[in-house]
Amino acid sequence: MTRPGQIAVSILSEAGTLMDDDQEGAAESAMARDEPLELTEKLDDFVLRPAPQGRVMKCRITRDKKSVDRGFYPTYFLHLEKDDGKKVFLLVGRKRKKTKTSNYLISTDPTDLSRGGKAFVGKLRANFLGTQFTLFDNGDNPKSNYENARKELVGISYGTNVLGLKGPRKMTIIIPGMNLDHERVDIQPRSDNEGLIDRYKRKNMENILDLHNKTPVWNDGKSSE
């Protein structure tokens, strides 16, 4: 089952390797945002809700790095591709400045990428090595607000293979499971070792699912997967 508000958002951090189309971007996303969203009345709710059962959601990521500033902090746009070929804007993400690790703010408004904005829906945070990413909703850090602690929506872990760091990487995605009402199980860690990735490492698979990419093949000519 594909979840537009979880899996699709998580790949914003890897948009450079999945899609590099700088010709599309802010103008396109603004036009798509004006199109009526037929799948939900409120975009903020839709992107955080599991997709309808038995339905495949196709999404496209584009990257905008046209200005000097965006060369270092590119903006990524996520669109839903409908059956008739039309696109519906869903999310925008941009790397935060002055952070020690890769840290992306995610919003449903391409004109407002602020932590305190009304359209802020979550953030994607990497570890120091850039081998693990965690996607949070717009809740608070449990150390500052225990009662309204943020929820984890996706955990992403990269591993090397026999070729080492320069070879194709294996990717594991960990997501919350579903209850009998087809609702996402809340994963709301109150400490650093209760998150999705830590649970997976401890082989505690209760209420979580793990997904794996197809084995990538290295292309010597292009020096890429």
Side-chain angles (χ1 to χ4, degrees):
M1 179 178 295
T2 303
R3 302 181 180 187
Q6 298 183 20
I7 298 176
V9 180
S10 69
I11 58 178
L12 283 171
S13 64
E14 287 299 299
T17 60
L18 296 176
M19 178 67 65
D20 186 5
D21 190 352
D22 297 334
Q23 300 305 314
E24 303 180 45
E28 178 192 48
S29 67
M31 290 188 292
R33 187 175 175 82
D34 293 335
E35 180 181 346
L37 188 62
E38 299 175 357
L39 302 179
T40 184
E41 294 182 357
K42 189 176 181 182
L43 181 58
D44 292 1
D45 293 336
F46 172 69
V47 297
L48 292 173
R49 188 172 61 241
Q53 190 172 17
R55 180 166 184 174
V56 176
M57 314 299 291
K58 289 182 59 179
C59 296
R60 177 180 293 268
I61 294 174
T62 56
R63 179 174 62 175
D64 178 22
K65 59 173 186 177
K66 294 180 180 179
S67 67
V68 175
D69 181 63
R70 288 184 178 177
F72 293 97
Y73 303 97
T75 302
Y76 299 97
F77 298 92
L78 180 72
H79 291 81
L80 173 68
E81 292 191 337
K82 300 173 63 177
D83 295 337
D84 58 6
K86 294 182 179 180
K87 300 176 184 178
V88 178
F89 169 79
L90 293 181
L91 295 166
V92 59
R94 191 180 188 191
K95 186 177 180 180
R96 298 179 67 183
K97 301 177 182 179
K98 300 179 181 179
T99 55
K100 296 181 180 179
T101 61
S102 294
N103 196 319
Y104 295 80
L105 284 181
I106 302 173
S107 171
T108 55
D109 185 347
T111 65
D112 184 2
L113 274 165
S114 61
R115 180 68 172 81
K118 294 182 179 179
F120 170 70
V121 293
K123 72 173 184 178
L124 186 73
R125 186 182 68 188
N127 64 354
F128 181 76
L129 296 176
T131 57
Q132 295 179 0
F133 292 82
T134 301
L135 177 67
F136 301 95
D137 69 1
N138 56 2
D140 297 325
N141 188 320
K143 295 180 180 179
S144 59
N145 189 343
Y146 189 86
E147 296 300 326
N148 190 37
R150 60 200 177 196
K151 299 180 181 68
E152 288 193 11
L153 305 180
V154 178
I156 307 169
S157 179
Y158 287 102
T160 60
N161 65 4
V162 293
L163 296 178
L165 292 175
K166 294 184 178 181
R169 295 183 294 178
K170 298 178 181 179
M171 181 170 63
T172 299
I173 296 178
I174 306 101
I175 60 177
M178 308 280 283
N179 60 26
L180 296 177
D181 294 324
H182 303 291
E183 298 172 337
R184 182 183 64 244
V185 176
D186 288 342
I187 304 297
Q188 198 169 16
R190 296 313 205 273
S191 63
D192 294 337
N193 62 351
E194 295 180 353
L196 289 166
I197 294 178
D198 291 285
R199 293 188 185 196
Y200 177 78
K201 288 181 176 179
R202 297 197 306 269
K203 298 183 179 181
N204 177 8
M205 302 300 294
E206 182 179 3
N207 292 327
I208 66 173
L209 302 173
D210 59 315
L211 308 174
H212 305 271
N213 65 329
K214 294 182 179 179
T215 303
V217 178
W218 183 258
N219 187 318
D220 289 327
K222 296 182 179 180
S223 295
S224 64
E225 299 174 13

